[in-house]
Amino acid sequence: MPIIYALANQKGGVGKTTTAVNVGAYLAEWGQRVLVVDIDPQANATSSLGIDKRAVPLSTYDLLVRGVSLSRVMQLTGRVRLDLAPASPALAGATVELVSLPQRESRLRQALAVLNTDEEQGKRYDYVLIDCPPSLGILTVNGLTAATDGVIIPVQCEYLALEGLSQLVRAIELVRRALNPKLRLRGLVMTMYDARTNLSRQVVEEVRRHFPGRVFNTIIPRSVRLSEAPSYGEPIISYAPHSAGALAYAALTRELLAGDGRYR
Ligand SMILES: Nc1ncnc2c1ncn2[C@@H]1O[C@H](COP(=O)(O)OP(=O)(O)O)[C@@H](O)[C@H]1O
Ligand SMILES: [Mg+2]
């Protein structure tokens, strides 16, 4: 059975997609079979992996709303062991369409259930990373409900970083009680750290105080290379493998693997 994590935070621009894509790429590089599931209508994870969101034949929209199977939606990325369930702009309409569908909160979970059986024609994954949109709507609820091994929350090192986190924690608690009893907070990742400012350091301390033992030791620095890589459709591991951002995502992936009892 794969380890399934959702990357969630209702704030936009905090590093959810950057973390999903780059941790996914390092996991794959180190031998894990990885599926990135993009459920954000903006489809940034899809384009960050070099796939044109307007040209995907079937997307997570079809998976969630039309009940199309994962094996038909899934695409290869051109990177070994790294596959993608792409998003498309159509997903924006899913929020409305899902409302009238049965089990509207568990449709992604149902779509991924095939990964726990032997039916999926030979496709096995060690990790599934679900990249959620910047809201606490039905799409994110689907992500949290499908995340059998927990949620990873990227937090940007900026003023008011804690704002909104208690609301997110409450939403996680609600989903745990009603839909996914195994849902746990796998960890918070501090992103876009600027070593030149006291603010970044203070924010990390503050978040660690509020979530003792729940913040990954690895801190992701602000790095121009990380922000450039998506426009080339490449993860940092191939775009700028020696950059500070690459080293940080490698370290975060190592920390994640170790915590999961999977050593490289
Ligand atoms: N550590 C970082 N340093 C510099 N830019 C970053 C970093 N992490 C993310 N970015 C950039 O910030 C923007 C928001 O990041 P993204 O991962 O898309 O956030 P989210 O998915 O939470 O909306 C993107 O343009 C991304 O390239
Ligand atoms: Mg995103």
Side-chain angles (χ1 to χ4, degrees):
M1 270 163 42
I3 291 178
I4 307 182
Y5 292 133
L7 288 107
N9 188 332
Q10 75 274 30
K11 271 194 203 173
V14 297
K16 292 180 290 297
T17 300
T18 305
T19 302
V21 165
N22 290 302
V23 168
Y26 277 104
L27 286 171
E29 175 74 15
W30 295 337
Q32 307 289 317
R33 295 159 301 179
V34 181
L35 175 67
V36 172
V37 179
D38 189 352
I39 55 167
D40 183 352
Q42 290 181 44
N44 290 337
T46 299
S47 39
S48 296
L49 287 169
I51 289 169
D52 180 359
K53 65 182 175 190
R54 281 166 301 264
V56 301
L58 291 167
S59 73
T60 49
Y61 168 82
D62 303 281
L63 192 76
L64 291 168
V65 175
R66 297 180 53 231
V68 172
S69 72
L70 180 65
S71 58
R72 291 184 59 206
V73 170
M74 188 277 287
Q75 287 199 12
L76 306 179
T77 63
R79 309 189 68 84
V80 180
R81 289 182 295 274
L82 184 59
D83 296 346
L84 172 72
S88 68
L91 198 54
T95 310
V96 176
E97 291 177 66
L98 279 170
V99 170
S100 58
L101 292 176
Q103 267 106 46
R104 59 187 174 193
E105 299 96 351
S106 338
R107 297 186 66 91
L108 182 59
R109 189 187 178 101
Q110 281 165 14
L112 298 184
V114 68
L115 298 175
N116 298 324
T117 70
D118 288 324
E119 288 159 29
E120 187 76 349
Q121 305 101 20
K123 263 293 174 190
R124 313 294 291 165
Y125 294 104
D126 301 299
Y127 278 92
V128 178
L129 302 175
I130 304 167
D131 187 26
C132 293
S135 79
L136 289 178
I138 189 73
L139 288 171
T140 292
V141 170
N142 264 272
L144 294 176
T145 303
T148 44
D149 297 274
V151 52
I152 296 172
I153 304 179
V155 179
Q156 191 180 347
C157 295
E158 51 142 31
Y159 185 58
L160 296 179
L162 280 170
E163 201 183 61
L165 278 184
S166 56
Q167 199 189 2
L168 176 57
V169 166
R170 252 197 320 279
I172 291 167
E173 188 55 42
L174 285 173
V175 171
R176 184 194 358 256
R177 269 188 246 150
L179 297 158
N180 177 11
K182 283 166 74 186
L183 185 61
R184 64 179 174 131
L185 177 51
R186 179 61 180 82
L188 297 98
V189 186
M190 303 307 301
T191 65
M192 296 182 232
Y193 183 88
D194 186 345
R196 294 165 307 180
T197 68
N198 286 332
L199 178 65
S200 270
R201 197 163 27 77
Q202 286 162 6
V203 169
V204 172
E205 281 172 16
E206 202 184 0
V207 173
R208 284 195 171 134
R209 243 195 333 272
H210 271 80
F211 296 92
R214 300 298 191 90
V215 182
F216 285 100
N217 293 326
T218 307
I219 294 175
I220 309 299
R222 188 172 280 285
S223 142
V224 174
R225 293 296 193 210
L226 279 175
S227 61
E228 289 170 349
S231 56
Y232 295 87
E234 280 191 59
I236 198 71
I237 193 175
S238 52
Y239 178 69
H242 305 295
S243 63
L247 300 182
Y249 272 110
L252 178 64
T253 307
R254 228 176 274 118
E255 194 181 342
L256 189 73
L257 278 167
D260 292 342
R262 299 191 174 183
Y263 296 89
R264 60 171 294 229

